[in-house]
Amino acid sequence: MSERVPSLRAEIVSVGDELLKGQRVNTNASFIARGLGTVGIPVVRITACSDFESEMASVFRETLERADVVLVTGGLGPTRDDRTRKAAGELLGLGLRLDPDALREVERRVTAHGRTMNELMQCQAMVLEGSMAIPNTRGTAAGMIIPAGRRFGGSYLVLMPGVPSEMEAMMELTVLPWLRSLSDTTIIHTPVKTTGIGESTLADIITDIEDSIPDGTSLAYLPHGAGVDLMVSTIARDPRIAERDNAAVVEAIRERAGVFIFGVGTASLEETIIGMLASGGFTLSVAESCTGGLIASRLTDVPGASVSLMQGYIVYSNSAKEELLGVSRGLIDMYGAVSEEVARAMALGCLRRSGTSIALATTGIAGPGGGSPEKPVGTLCVALARQVSGTGPSVEVRTLHMHGDRLQNKHRFTEAALRELWSALRGEPGG
């Protein structure tokens, strides 16, 4: 078992009333947290605060008392609500200085846009005394790395703009290299992607693995609309120990829950499927009713999908099912558009008319209306047809039931259909 490792602790502060009002999603904090993980620094807290100076100063004081490094985004720029620098200066008792390198960058950018320097633009090159200026290669406001002094136990305050492109460049070019020099630990995060299993069921399956997890390793459940993923995180001073312990937990989970795991790493279900189709030399077509093109959309989000995905049909009406796929009106009248019989006919028609080796079809009731006691809202019929040499096409059909509103059901229908395709490709018909 690895030794529990003390390390630098980081907190992230996002400044801006727009975050507190729900007008903007805090993507900056996610980017920063991921970056800190690559240099072995765990994030212990993320805070959003208003752009009032008193509130910012209070948050900066609290975070500096807890963390070794506090990274702040927002409130640096030319507008009146950009008060972060002033709040930090008043808290730390630091005045301002003009950074010559930052000034040259501001002048270069202003001149390149055919404008004339003024006092407001020059202020973008002002940084706090004793700080290290962070070059802004995407904008004008300089960032800064500020030693907070003995009052805060040698902690650091890092100020960056809230514009994502500016902050991201600062992190990659300056902040992360600087933090890497301070950190003596390694953090490894390994996502384990599952489908077709709920959080409580998964937890039951791997309970004993969690009970015996090595020190320095943690396991997080990341539920989403279609299932749950796991994140195995390991921190250690020795990279070899981090890799060993992390890999051991991941492998134990794969052995226990492998039938539900479609990948280890960052690849999505659709990326995994496109890879499986390509490696097997298969071509795919889709016929979508209730999913309305979402299956094709997700698959075409993957670069290179055109090697395997040939075409798709959106056959939302009964007449479209007849005209484009050859589904008979009598079959629809007898069994209903949402039925295994119609799903089967859709898949076969899609296979025949596209000439692909695999066809995937969906028909269902997303809601809120259209359901019945026999076929409630959330009913999905999904069919998978495949060309079989010498014997003609084979078809597998399943009826599944989801619970959610219309948009949730459409997303879950799409996930379920892709899961059926993934299961078939890995040789497990019926999932």
Side-chain angles (χ1 to χ4, degrees):
M1 295 175 65
S2 60
E3 175 189 2
R4 185 170 297 280
V5 179
S7 64
L8 296 177
R9 293 158 51 90
E11 293 198 26
I12 300 170
V13 177
S14 300
V15 174
D17 287 345
E18 68 278 8
L19 298 173
L20 300 175
K21 295 174 182 176
Q23 297 172 332
R24 183 171 297 173
V25 177
N26 191 1
T27 57
N28 283 350
S30 298
F31 182 90
I32 294 170
R34 288 194 300 271
L36 291 174
T38 66
V39 296
I41 299 177
V43 176
V44 296
R45 192 170 307 192
I46 296 175
T47 305
C49 74
S50 74
D51 48 28
F52 287 107
E53 292 170 26
S54 59
E55 181 64 24
M56 283 190 281
S58 175
V59 171
F60 295 167
R61 182 185 304 107
E62 294 170 3
T63 53
L64 284 170
E65 288 173 348
R66 291 191 300 256
D68 302 292
V69 182
V70 177
L71 298 99
V72 181
T73 62
L76 291 180
T79 58
R80 290 189 176 184
D81 61 351
D82 291 324
R83 308 182 181 100
T84 302
R85 182 177 53 191
K86 184 176 180 182
E90 291 180 353
L91 173 66
L92 301 175
L94 300 174
L96 292 172
R97 67 174 177 85
L98 183 65
D99 186 83
D101 292 334
L103 179 60
R104 281 191 292 270
E105 181 61 23
V106 173
E107 290 174 337
R108 185 189 69 78
R109 286 186 169 275
V110 170
T111 303
H113 287 85
R115 294 180 293 174
T116 303
M117 281 288 292
N118 57 37
E119 185 177 351
L120 186 61
M121 294 174 181
Q122 182 172 302
C123 283
Q124 303 306 293
M126 300 293 288
V127 298
L128 293 176
E129 295 172 338
S131 68
M132 179 179 82
I134 306 174
N136 189 339
T137 60
R138 302 288 181 85
T140 55
M144 59 202 84
I145 298 172
I146 312 161
R150 286 182 293 179
R151 174 185 173 189
F152 293 105
S155 297
Y156 291 91
L157 186 66
V158 179
L159 306 184
M160 296 176 286
V163 179
S165 62
E166 297 180 27
M167 177 276 297
E168 290 171 9
M170 288 186 176
M171 284 290 295
E172 291 171 350
L173 298 176
T174 303
V175 178
L176 289 178
W178 169 72
L179 287 171
R180 190 175 288 111
S181 69
L182 300 181
S183 176
D184 63 351
T185 57
T186 295
I187 297 180
I188 296 177
H189 299 291
T190 304
V192 179
K193 301 293 191 70
T194 78
T195 183
I197 187 171
E199 184 175 2
S200 60
T201 304
L202 181 59
D204 287 341
I205 291 175
I206 63 173
T207 295
D208 59 329
I209 297 174
E210 287 194 80
D211 290 342
S212 60
I213 206 163
D215 287 341
T217 297
S218 61
L219 183 61
Y221 289 79
L222 308 174
H224 49 82
V228 60
D229 295 334
L230 298 171
M231 181 68 74
V232 181
S233 301
T234 304
I235 181 170
R237 282 203 176 92
D238 188 333
R240 294 169 298 180
I241 292 176
E243 292 174 4
R244 181 199 67 195
D245 289 354
N246 191 270
V249 174
V250 170
E251 185 56 31
I253 294 170
R254 293 184 70 162
E255 290 178 0
R256 189 66 54 81
V259 68
F260 301 105
I261 297 172
F262 66 81
V264 173
T266 59
S268 64
L269 181 57
E270 49 267 34
E271 287 174 315
T272 301
I273 287 171
I274 290 296
M276 296 171 78
L277 289 168
S279 63
F282 301 117
T283 54
L284 173 70
S285 56
V286 295
E288 304 184 60
S289 181
C290 56
T291 48
L294 287 176
I295 294 173
S297 176
R298 283 181 59 173
L299 291 171
T300 54
D301 284 342
V302 181
S306 59
V307 172
S308 304
L309 180 63
M310 298 295 103
Q311 66 189 84
Y313 301 88
I314 300 176
V315 286
Y316 202 62
S317 68
N318 290 340
S319 60
K321 294 177 178 66
E322 294 179 72
E323 295 168 10
L324 295 178
L325 300 177
V327 179
S328 74
R329 170 61 66 171
L331 194 69
I332 296 174
D333 290 342
M334 181 177 295
Y335 296 104
V338 179
S339 62
E340 291 191 358
E341 290 78 9
V342 168
R344 180 188 301 272
M346 289 172 60
L348 285 171
C350 183
L351 190 74
R352 181 173 59 252
R353 299 196 175 191
S354 67
T356 57
S357 51
I358 302 173
L360 181 66
T362 59
T363 179
I365 306 169
S372 68
E374 296 77 23
K375 298 177 184 179
V377 169
T379 298
L380 168 70
C381 296
V382 56
L384 187 75
R386 289 184 280 188
Q387 297 285 5
V388 180
S389 178
T391 63
S394 68
V395 188
E396 300 159 9
V397 190
R398 294 188 72 191
T399 298
L400 304 168
H401 297 281
M402 315 292 166
H403 302 281
D405 60 29
R406 183 177 181 83
L407 294 182
Q408 288 172 330
N409 281 334
K410 287 181 67 177
H411 176 71
R412 289 167 182 169
F413 288 171
T414 304
E415 185 78 8
L418 289 174
R419 183 167 64 245
E420 293 296 309
L421 176 56
W422 168 72
S423 295
L425 288 171
R426 72 195 297 256
E428 297 180 6

